[in-house]
Amino acid sequence: MFDFLRFKEVKEDDIDPMLEELRAELLESDVSYAVTEKILDDIKASIVGKKVKRGSDIEETVKETLKKSIYEVVGKGAEIDLIEAVRNGPKPYVIVFFGVNGVGKTTTIAKVAYAMKRAGLSPVIAAADTFRAAAQEQLEYHCQKLEVPLIKGKYGSDPASVAYSAISHAKKIGAHVVLVDTAGRMNTDADLMEELKRVVRISKPNLRILVLDALAGNDALNQAKAFDENVGFDVVILTKVDADSKGGTILSVTKELGKPIIMLGVGQDYDSLIKFEPQWFVDRIFS
Ligand SMILES: Nc1nc2c(ncn2[C@@H]2O[C@H](COP(=O)(O)OP(=O)(O)OP(=O)(O)O)[C@@H](O)[C@H]2O)c(=O)[nH]1
Ligand SMILES: [Mg+2]
């Protein structure tokens, strides 16, 4: 009884100015326009009409709701651990890495190989980027340093057969995991997408990782959509998060495609690959 004395209902007008501010903040963090609108709609739906104690801080309520809803969106990948997946998966566990040119695929593979070795797992790397001569040399350099077997193909040879040879080699030597590096390709290049499909069809990966670059901003979402439609992928590793970027891509990709971000590249060293923590992201967006 007399609830209205103690509670008041949140009206759209109460929160509109705050949502405006949030809209600007999300867009500035490179969250796509469509995703920003969806998130704001979710918040409106969960707050407008809600009864809050008179005298309580609506702004604080909105902020908490927003944080919670963002946490829920990006929290999906948090439980996926690459090392555990390999440890509990078939032997060898096959992972194919792909993405647009220069996003950091090869560097990320070296980092993953390093992490696997540290965890007591033995990797084999497949240099299925037979497109650029320098690509093989780049992997040779890493593999020598990390003492990881590398399977290469001739320049211009069939990348799918390089991946296949690497898997056969891994079986022969009892390696735990095969990391397949592929050539960078624009999401608009139909021929190269076909080639990638073939690599995937033949290597039958246990995990398909799309590598995205945090600096690509909104284009990263377009890339993710195109790779998803053409090839399909399971998870994302986002690189170059150490550069000046709030990583809004994380929110766009998880909200629009429902694909988890599992790891972040935060530098050029082998140990600059960290597990993605949803709370870290929420704090970063609101910092
Ligand atoms: N700062 C920073 N630089 C990175 C990160 N990951 C990769 N890079 C750099 O990005 C550049 C491109 O990396 P690569 O690993 O060669 O990229 P790629 O996707 O294999 O490139 P292509 O094979 O040509 O398509 C290199 O200079 C890397 O050192 C990261 O997490 N942080
Ligand atoms: Mg490369």
Side-chain angles (χ1 to χ4, degrees):
M1 232 201 267
F2 301 122
D3 256 9
F4 69 93
L5 290 178
R6 286 190 293 131
F7 295 98
K8 65 175 175 179
E9 201 176 290
V10 181
K11 301 241 171 12
E12 209 163 321
D13 287 351
D14 296 330
I15 63 170
D16 266 348
M18 260 176 281
L19 294 185
E20 271 316 309
E21 242 172 75
L22 285 172
R23 174 178 285 117
E25 230 165 288
L26 291 174
L27 291 174
E28 250 170 56
S29 305
D30 282 337
V31 178
S32 78
Y33 181 76
V35 170
T36 298
E37 292 309 317
K38 274 188 200 167
I39 286 171
L40 296 179
D41 285 348
D42 286 355
I43 294 170
K44 251 190 206 169
S46 66
I47 291 193
V48 173
K50 207 173 157 182
K51 293 207 166 69
V52 296
K53 273 206 180 103
R54 285 196 184 275
S56 73
D57 190 346
I58 292 187
E59 188 161 344
E60 211 37 54
T61 312
V62 174
K63 209 166 175 184
E64 285 316 308
T65 308
L66 180 72
K67 282 186 177 177
K68 211 176 125 223
S69 82
I70 289 181
Y71 186 93
E72 273 163 17
V73 174
V74 299
K76 288 183 97 176
E79 66 273 12
I80 299 173
D81 185 289
L82 224 44
I83 305 271
E84 286 309 308
V86 169
R87 208 170 257 150
N88 302 322
K91 198 176 172 189
Y93 190 90
V94 178
I95 308 178
V96 176
F97 295 74
F98 48 84
V100 165
N101 312 67
V103 291
K105 296 173 292 296
T106 305
T107 309
T108 301
I109 285 178
K111 292 175 182 176
V112 170
Y114 173 80
M116 291 293 166
K117 282 201 81 172
R118 282 188 56 152
L121 298 166
S122 53
V124 166
I125 293 181
D129 180 353
T130 55
F131 206 64
R132 280 192 313 122
Q136 311 245 340
E137 284 161 29
Q138 193 185 356
L139 272 178
E140 224 153 43
Y141 166 82
H142 290 303
C143 286
Q144 252 166 35
K145 266 181 95 161
L146 296 170
E147 296 179 4
V148 169
L150 174 68
I151 302 300
K152 299 185 291 182
K154 281 206 186 67
Y155 173 72
S157 66
D158 176 18
S161 75
V162 177
Y164 190 82
S165 307
I167 296 166
S168 305
H169 183 70
K171 280 182 185 154
K172 202 166 75 196
I173 65 169
H176 294 98
V177 55
V178 180
L179 307 171
V180 181
D181 190 17
T182 61
R185 64 202 73 223
M186 296 308 290
N187 39 315
T188 47
D189 189 325
D191 287 346
L192 286 179
M193 280 295 186
E194 275 308 313
E195 183 204 76
L196 181 59
K197 259 192 238 175
R198 218 175 96 75
V199 173
V200 167
R201 200 163 58 234
I202 288 177
S203 53
K204 298 186 184 66
N206 301 98
L207 195 68
R208 298 162 298 177
I209 299 186
L210 176 68
V211 181
L212 294 173
D213 178 337
L215 298 175
N218 266 312
D219 191 51
L221 180 59
N222 298 331
Q223 295 171 14
K225 280 182 180 163
F227 278 95
D228 192 35
E229 279 160 20
N230 285 292
V231 186
F233 68 90
D234 304 301
V235 299
V236 170
I237 292 183
L238 186 68
T239 61
K240 307 183 197 178
V241 180
D242 50 313
D244 189 25
S245 145
K246 281 206 169 182
T249 300
I250 294 171
L251 193 54
S252 302
V253 171
T254 43
K255 181 84 181 168
E256 284 273 295
L257 299 174
K259 307 281 187 178
I261 311 286
I262 59 164
M263 300 192 95
L264 306 176
V266 293
Q268 318 223 15
D269 307 330
Y270 291 136
D271 56 6
S272 301
L273 183 70
I274 60 170
K275 207 168 144 59
F276 172 66
E277 298 290 351
Q279 192 56 52
W280 165 89
F281 177 73
V282 173
D283 294 343
R284 190 167 162 113
I285 286 279
F286 289 94
S287 66

